Amino acid sequence: MFKRNPSLTEQVKSYLKQRIINAEFETGRIPSEATLATELSVSRNTIRDALSRLEMEGVIFRKQGAGTFINEANLLVKTRLEEIVPYENLIRDHGYTPSIRLLGVVQESAGYHSLRTELELNSDTPLLIIDKLFLADDQPVIFTRTYLPANLIKQPYTGDDFGPPIYEFLPKFCQQELAYYLSEIVPLIATPELADKLNLPAEITALLSLEELGHNQENQPIIKAVSYFRSDLLRLRLIRRQ
Amino acid sequence: MFKRNPSLTEQVKSYLKQRIINAEFETGRIPSEATLATELSVSRNTIRDALSRLEMEGVIFRKQGAGTFINEANLLVKTRLEEIVPYENLIRDHGYTPSIRLLGVVQESAGYHSLRTELELNSDTPLLIIDKLFLADDQPVIFTRTYLPANLIKQPYTGDDFGPPIYEFLPKFCQQELAYYLSEIVPLIATPELADKLNLPAEITALLSLEELGHNQENQPIIKAVSYFRSDLLRLRLIRRQ
DNA sequence: CAGTGGTCTAGACCACGGG
DNA sequence: CCGTGGTCTAGACCACTGG
């Protein structure tokens, strides 16, 4: 039924996820691992790996001796902060229509000393600074500033190439893969500049910002990104486990 | 070399983690999976499961065809928000000496309607409200308020039993296990009450709060906890993956 | 008690990396 | 090319749940 590549585990995971989304398991319970293994003609280990991934994503939960069950509650929280997801999805999950405005792309050759230290760059490496604004029903809700060392870029590009998320730009133009962000969550009081960009009300407003250092698979820092969220309009959620 | 229970995988994980912490692998590289399997007399799958967990924790990273390596950079970030960890550890990792002050435990029988809805409680279930303050070198840095339905408690307890984290109280006194928190991150401007509790400077300060609904393994909400962090003194970090 | 998920084994083949 | 991690299999035993 399945071919290799993508891996059997990944295919089984997608297959089961789709069936869950289609509400094909009416009882909220998923067939036993042995049953699935027989039905799909793969070993039970492969089924278990697929189920483990779905459990990590919060789609299902398992109970020894009882069975595997669909996690109805958590299907409601689709975008969670511990996963890298396009901000458009975050906005869409709040019931708004997302749109993006590319505010500008500039190149800086000097300054930004602390940033260059974080990215382990020489003091003369040019930096691309990309400003983007995300809107929910035409109301600004997220402002992001991304710092990309210019020497990473191996292919010619245009400004439009920065419309999609940066982790789609990196493989195409830099032969780099974004493996993870190490992020710091900082609350702050909106500066006049930010209040203007995000169209904030006149009163003093608390904002949430995410200061992130993006790393590749070799664990080297490759990009820096800072995001500012209007948390009165967006809910930033997270699952914490032991 | 190892016995069953805790699982071989868990023992191998702890064993390798300890050797990493002891800096026994000078090259920054860990022996191959096959070598470890032979040395420890377990199957390669068991080794792989243990390594996968260490990779999830950010302790190591693997590269197909090359080997398994210690993640020097991420060893620095020990406490991360996506993991449930005692706040004492968070404070200790910032170089301070932690201490806890139990501010009060009160029982409320009425009100808190939205909270009762979240916890799926009847409107007359008594609620225990536990206030705690965490200090770093005697400076208040975290204030937490925990809401615990009184009908969960099956054993007699004293106020001192609330000194340790609530997820240690739950198994002992409620026969409940905290499986995960579904948390929402909210920035806010300190209220006078909070500024007083956290000994904040007179200027307007942005705080970070975490509003969390704790669930058991059956996925039912069991407790609510709200935490307020002085993020000028503590750095709240997180790893985000795809 | 039967059925479930949790753990573990031994062996196999593949894809990738570096010398 | 060889050694590495990545994937997959078939089979086994255990611990737990629920009727």
Side-chain angles (χ1 to χ4, degrees):
Chain A
M1 167 160 189
F2 296 117
K3 298 173 183 175
R4 306 245 159 160
N5 238 345
S7 72
L8 283 184
T9 303
E10 203 55 40
Q11 291 175 78
V12 170
K13 184 196 130 185
S14 306
Y15 168 80
L16 289 175
K17 191 170 181 178
Q18 196 54 53
R19 290 191 65 180
I20 291 169
I21 292 171
N22 295 348
E24 291 183 37
F25 305 114
E26 299 180 7
T27 58
R29 181 178 180 164
I30 285 175
S32 77
E33 299 177 348
T35 306
L36 289 172
T38 306
E39 276 184 14
L40 304 181
S41 303
V42 298
S43 80
R44 194 184 145 210
N45 273 344
T46 303
I47 298 289
R48 277 188 65 73
D49 284 349
L51 290 178
S52 294
R53 296 189 196 181
L54 289 175
E55 189 174 33
M56 289 287 304
E57 288 185 24
V59 177
I60 57 170
F61 64 97
R62 299 193 271 194
K63 218 176 146 183
Q64 182 173 143
T68 303
F69 306 89
I70 295 172
N71 191 340
E72 307 286 354
N74 281 43
L75 285 178
L76 301 176
V77 184
K78 289 169 194 156
T79 51
R80 303 190 311 257
L81 209 56
E82 74 270 27
E83 292 187 359
I84 301 174
V85 157
Y87 287 146
E88 292 98 305
N89 292 14
L90 175 66
I91 292 168
R92 200 173 292 116
D93 286 344
H94 282 77
Y96 303 111
T97 302
S99 56
I100 307 182
R101 199 176 293 161
L102 186 62
L103 296 185
V105 181
V106 299
Q107 185 160 333
E108 296 278 354
S109 295
Y112 300 95
H113 292 300
S114 65
L115 185 60
R116 286 172 198 280
T117 306
E118 284 187 299
L119 290 172
E120 299 170 6
L121 297 176
N122 296 328
S123 59
D124 56 353
T125 311
L127 277 174
L128 275 188
I129 302 178
I130 304 137
D131 283 359
K132 289 165 80 169
L133 193 65
F134 294 79
L135 304 95
D137 291 349
D138 300 320
Q139 163 79 266
V141 288
I142 310 174
F143 170 66
T144 69
R145 176 164 287 176
T146 307
Y147 303 86
L148 176 67
N151 60 4
L152 280 184
I153 305 176
K154 311 295 186 195
Q155 309 281 340
Y157 64 92
T158 71
D160 289 343
D161 293 320
F162 291 113
I166 191 71
Y167 53 82
E168 293 182 9
F169 181 89
L170 288 167
K172 288 181 193 161
F173 296 90
C174 308
Q175 280 105 53
Q176 290 276 353
E177 198 76 40
L178 180 68
Y180 66 92
Y181 279 119
L182 180 52
S183 307
E184 184 172 342
I185 303 168
V186 185
L188 47 83
I189 292 167
T191 62
E193 190 199 7
L194 275 172
D196 179 49
K197 282 208 169 65
L198 287 170
N199 193 25
L200 297 178
E203 320 108 55
I204 294 168
T205 316
L207 284 183
L208 198 73
S209 85
L210 219 51
E211 303 185 3
E212 321 194 87
L213 205 50
H215 296 71
N216 63 15
Q217 285 150 332
E218 282 78 43
N219 237 47
Q220 298 155 332
I222 49 177
I223 58 166
K224 171 90 175 184
V226 185
S227 307
Y228 302 90
F229 298 84
R230 273 201 67 165
S231 59
D232 54 338
L233 297 179
L234 298 177
R235 299 161 73 87
L236 294 174
R237 281 178 282 206
L238 176 69
I239 287 185
R240 306 177 66 209
R241 303 176 195 271
Q242 261 169 333
Chain B
M1 165 159 191
F2 296 118
K3 298 174 183 176
R4 306 244 159 162
N5 238 344
S7 70
L8 283 185
T9 302
E10 203 55 39
Q11 291 175 78
V12 170
K13 185 196 128 184
S14 306
Y15 168 80
L16 290 175
K17 192 170 180 177
Q18 197 53 53
R19 289 192 64 179
I20 291 170
I21 292 171
N22 295 348
E24 293 183 34
F25 304 115
E26 298 180 7
T27 59
R29 181 180 180 160
I30 285 174
S32 77
E33 299 177 350
T35 306
L36 289 173
T38 306
E39 277 183 14
L40 304 181
S41 303
V42 298
S43 80
R44 194 184 146 210
N45 273 343
T46 303
I47 298 289
R48 278 188 64 73
D49 284 350
L51 290 178
S52 294
R53 296 190 195 181
L54 289 175
E55 188 174 33
M56 289 287 303
E57 289 185 24
V59 177
I60 57 169
F61 64 96
R62 300 193 270 195
K63 224 175 140 181
Q64 181 172 148
T68 303
F69 306 90
I70 295 172
N71 192 341
E72 307 286 354
N74 282 42
L75 283 179
L76 302 176
V77 184
K78 289 169 196 158
T79 52
R80 303 190 312 258
L81 208 56
E82 75 271 26
E83 291 187 0
I84 301 175
V85 157
Y87 287 146
E88 291 99 304
N89 291 14
L90 175 66
I91 292 168
R92 201 173 291 117
D93 285 345
H94 282 77
Y96 303 111
T97 302
S99 56
I100 307 183
R101 198 176 293 160
L102 185 62
L103 297 186
V105 181
V106 299
Q107 185 159 334
E108 296 277 356
S109 296
Y112 299 95
H113 291 300
S114 66
L115 185 59
R116 286 172 198 280
T117 305
E118 284 187 299
L119 290 172
E120 299 170 6
L121 297 175
N122 296 328
S123 59
D124 56 353
T125 311
L127 276 174
L128 275 188
I129 302 178
I130 304 138
D131 282 359
K132 289 165 81 170
L133 193 64
F134 295 79
L135 303 96
D137 292 349
D138 299 320
Q139 162 79 266
V141 288
I142 309 174
F143 169 66
T144 69
R145 176 165 286 176
T146 307
Y147 302 87
L148 176 67
N151 60 3
L152 279 184
I153 306 176
K154 311 294 186 195
Q155 310 280 341
Y157 63 93
T158 71
D160 288 344
D161 294 319
F162 291 113
I166 190 71
Y167 53 82
E168 294 182 9
F169 181 89
L170 288 167
K172 288 181 197 162
F173 296 91
C174 308
Q175 279 103 52
Q176 290 277 351
E177 197 76 40
L178 180 68
Y180 66 92
Y181 279 119
L182 180 53
S183 308
E184 184 172 344
I185 302 168
V186 184
L188 48 83
I189 292 166
T191 62
E193 190 199 9
L194 275 172
D196 179 50
K197 283 209 168 66
L198 287 170
N199 193 25
L200 297 178
E203 318 108 56
I204 294 169
T205 317
L207 284 183
L208 199 72
S209 84
L210 219 51
E211 303 184 3
E212 320 194 88
L213 204 51
H215 296 71
N216 63 14
Q217 284 151 333
E218 283 77 44
N219 237 49
Q220 297 154 333
I222 48 176
I223 59 166
K224 172 89 176 186
V226 186
S227 306
Y228 302 90
F229 298 85
R230 273 200 68 164
S231 59
D232 54 337
L233 296 180
L234 297 177
R235 301 160 72 86
L236 294 174
R237 282 178 280 206
L238 176 70
I239 287 186
R240 305 176 66 209
R241 303 176 194 272
Q242 259 169 333

